Amino acid sequence: MRRTRTLIVVAGAAAVVAAGAGIATAAGGSDSQEGPDVAITGDALQKASEAALAETGGGRVTGSEVGDEESYYQVEVTRDDGSQVDVQLDRNFTVVGSKTDSSETDRENSGEGGN
């Protein structure tokens, strides 16, 4: 009987520890590698801006980030029509992807337009 009681106490303690670890993981769900956004500066900003504007066919650069989760550089371009494009660049300022933030423009570009 004493051994059974000890096993129950040990199992209960293990369950409490496991539950606490799960709660701590859920509460701290952000990636520890992820920090505040760092803007591109200097010569790198000039090169990244030129590459992004060439990709979008014009507009104006309204934001930038080094070490974006999707690429090395990210440049946000706002087009004349108000749509925004996030242009992803590698370390050599080569475009590796882009995404239009306007969901309507995304549907039109993917052939899902309503007409």
Side-chain angles (χ1 to χ4, degrees):
M1 181 77 163
R2 185 180 250 280
R3 185 176 182 154
T4 303
R5 183 176 295 169
T6 302
L7 286 175
I8 291 172
V9 170
V10 169
V16 169
V17 170
I23 291 169
T25 300
S30 66
D31 184 357
S32 63
Q33 299 296 320
E34 190 175 315
D37 293 350
V38 177
I40 307 170
T41 60
D43 189 45
L45 177 58
Q46 181 66 33
K47 290 179 182 179
S49 295
E50 289 172 2
L53 292 171
E55 172 71 11
T56 61
R60 62 186 162 78
V61 173
T62 53
S64 68
E65 184 179 345
V66 177
D68 180 65
E69 64 274 0
E70 297 175 29
S71 61
Y72 192 77
Y73 296 112
Q74 175 178 297
V75 178
E76 179 183 275
V77 174
T78 301
R79 293 179 173 154
D80 293 338
D81 67 2
S83 64
Q84 293 183 330
V85 182
D86 291 335
V87 180
Q88 308 298 323
L89 306 165
D90 67 12
R91 289 178 185 260
N92 299 314
F93 305 99
T94 301
V95 175
V96 295
S98 65
K99 178 184 174 196
T100 302
D101 287 344
S102 168
S103 60
E104 184 174 322
T105 304
D106 285 342
R107 284 194 306 272
E108 289 172 4
N109 288 341
S110 69
E112 296 177 16
N115 293 348

